[in-house]
Amino acid sequence: MDTFEEIKVKGFASEYIDPAIDLFEEIERLKKEKNAVVLAHYYQEPDIQDIADYIGDSLGLSQQAAKTDANIIVFAGVHFMAETAKILSPQKKVLLPDLKAGCSLADSCPPHLFRKFKEKYPEHLVITYVNCTAELKALSDIVCTSSNAVQIVESLPKEQKIIFGPDKNLGAYVAKKTGRDLVLWNGACMVHEIFSREKITRIKERYPKAKLLAHPECEEVILTMADYIGSTTGLLKYATKSPEAEFIVATESGILHQMQKDNPGKLFIPAPPNNQCACNDCPHMKRNTLEKLYLCMKNESPEITVPQHIIDLAVKPIERMLTISAQLGL
Ligand code: 13P
Ligand code: SF4
């Protein structure tokens, strides 16, 4: 039998929940009672995606957070996403089912080190991928997501010098697509760096018609094999529109739920990692459970807070991204 501490470490709910409760009904009831909206990322577990009011990629989730008229935003995603929602809607209560739902990519770029890095390039404009802390956004000129990074860079004059952080893989992909010489921070996502070129090649031999869909956080060695590269929403749309019936998916496994739901007749194969475990599950995203979602709505906790001076600085580069995206119809 697990001790209470072990249960907490494993990420189970920290409060007793009557097993007779129908969590789906209770969450729906709490949404109405509290005028709360549940925003979920595609990497959340299937039950959370199914109860969400909106499921999307990082850009879509930010756009929803900026425009919702709900009193409470329940963010079923990771910490930086909930922080972004708070920065965009500071007057609203923003809840995250598990405060420890972090991000290895955000962790790979400590703001005090990035500040020193930035000082070495005084003429450069700083573009940061949204997968970073609020402090890092406060040090940036424009934020981007995987669905608008190329267009954001292209919206700037050719001669503009640019630092891109924290994801070196997305940065290298954007540099290649735009032909720009970007100064890259050396950060990466633990999930997207795990895919095995050899194992994908073997799957392709078994399913020769299968298209490889890859997220731009993957390493170049995987991206060069891909038939389509895009954000989670981009991958989902491509799979739905494609006349093909088989896909190998190189991103976090949670996206397969919507892909399968939207395309019942098609086959989606998670790209295999270079070891034996299910490492294309993001351990941070998967900290959230339906039980924790219910408890956080019931208790209105854990709540995300961001210091006002950080909000004041971080909101500008995020709004700049939203404005450019709106101009481009993204
Ligand atoms: P997108 O959903 O914006 O493609 O981001 C993927 C991701 O890694 C989120 O953590
Ligand atoms: Fe961060 Fe990678 Fe998890 Fe996305 S999948 S939240 S980038 S660790």
Side-chain angles (χ1 to χ4, degrees):
M1 175 90 177
D2 292 328
T3 64
F4 184 64
E5 277 312 308
E6 281 165 338
I7 287 170
K8 277 207 301 193
V9 168
K10 282 181 183 170
F12 293 124
S14 58
E15 189 182 315
Y16 174 76
I17 301 174
D18 181 349
I21 283 180
D22 181 329
L23 290 176
F24 285 92
E25 271 176 23
E26 277 303 297
I27 290 170
E28 288 300 348
R29 189 185 62 73
L30 287 167
K31 277 190 204 173
K32 288 192 192 89
E33 182 187 300
K34 300 184 181 228
N35 187 24
V37 66
V38 177
L39 306 182
H41 189 266
Y42 290 119
Y43 296 165
Q44 293 293 284
E45 62 173 41
D47 282 350
I48 295 182
Q49 294 190 41
D50 291 344
I51 196 85
D53 298 293
Y54 176 85
I55 326 165
D57 66 1
S58 304
L59 177 63
L61 290 163
S62 309
Q63 288 165 333
Q64 292 295 320
K67 74 177 188 198
T68 181
D69 52 14
N71 294 337
I72 298 180
I73 298 173
V74 187
F75 215 111
V78 290
H79 196 272
F80 76 80
M81 296 180 168
E83 259 184 355
T84 305
K86 183 70 186 173
I87 293 164
L88 286 166
S89 287
Q91 72 290 357
K92 296 193 191 300
K93 191 175 260 189
V94 178
L95 306 174
L96 182 67
D98 187 326
L99 263 194
K100 287 192 184 149
C103 170
S104 65
L105 179 50
D107 290 347
S108 71
C109 194
H112 68 285
L113 296 182
F114 189 78
R115 188 190 291 274
K116 287 207 178 117
F117 179 73
K118 186 182 150 173
E119 279 166 11
K120 289 198 279 181
Y121 303 97
E123 290 173 6
H124 288 58
L125 193 114
V126 176
I127 302 183
T128 48
Y129 186 35
V130 71
N131 297 33
C132 65
T133 60
E135 287 83 354
L136 209 76
K137 291 181 177 81
L139 294 170
S140 312
D141 297 296
I142 317 182
V143 166
C144 71
T145 75
S146 54
S147 57
N148 60 20
V150 168
Q151 292 89 335
I152 298 250
V153 168
E154 279 174 344
S155 74
L156 300 170
K158 275 217 155 44
E159 59 285 0
Q160 176 65 58
K161 294 175 179 171
I162 300 169
I163 294 175
F164 189 96
D167 188 13
K168 63 177 179 192
N169 294 322
L170 176 64
Y173 169 71
V174 173
K176 201 172 164 185
K177 286 286 275 187
T178 60
R180 307 279 181 110
D181 186 17
L182 308 178
V183 174
L184 304 180
W185 176 266
N186 187 18
C189 157
M190 62 192 277
V191 180
H192 288 89
E193 287 217 313
I194 206 87
F195 299 113
S196 155
R197 181 187 168 86
E198 290 69 30
K199 289 187 189 169
I200 292 175
T201 306
R202 265 183 263 144
I203 294 187
K204 275 187 152 256
E205 281 162 13
R206 261 182 75 196
Y207 299 92
K209 287 190 179 159
K211 296 283 173 206
L212 176 64
L213 312 181
H215 194 280
E217 285 177 29
C218 293
E219 289 173 295
E220 194 184 2
V221 63
I222 303 296
L223 296 181
T224 50
M225 301 171 79
D227 297 290
Y228 179 77
I229 299 166
S231 76
T232 49
T233 297
L235 301 181
L236 178 61
K237 283 189 180 160
Y238 180 89
T240 304
K241 278 195 197 142
S242 169
E244 299 298 335
E246 292 164 355
F247 302 89
I248 303 164
V249 185
T251 191
E252 210 271 354
S253 60
I255 186 73
L256 270 77
H257 177 60
Q258 288 304 315
M259 285 180 166
Q260 207 65 77
K261 227 173 142 177
D262 292 357
N263 301 281
K266 297 186 180 181
L267 176 69
F268 296 97
I269 307 161
N274 53 22
N275 57 22
Q276 298 307 316
C277 67
C279 291
N280 46 351
D281 275 352
C282 170
H284 308 289
M285 285 280 181
K286 297 300 195 273
R287 285 193 75 90
N288 296 328
T289 60
L290 199 64
E291 288 77 9
K292 289 184 196 171
L293 181 71
Y294 160 69
L295 286 177
C296 96
M297 292 180 76
K298 178 173 152 260
N299 300 327
E300 297 189 21
S301 167
E303 184 179 351
I304 295 292
T305 55
V306 181
Q308 191 58 48
H309 71 280
I310 297 289
I311 293 184
D312 293 343
L313 291 170
V315 74
K316 291 177 196 149
I318 303 174
E319 279 179 347
R320 206 165 158 191
M321 166 187 81
L322 292 176
T323 305
I324 297 173
S325 299
Q327 284 162 353
L328 295 170
L330 299 170

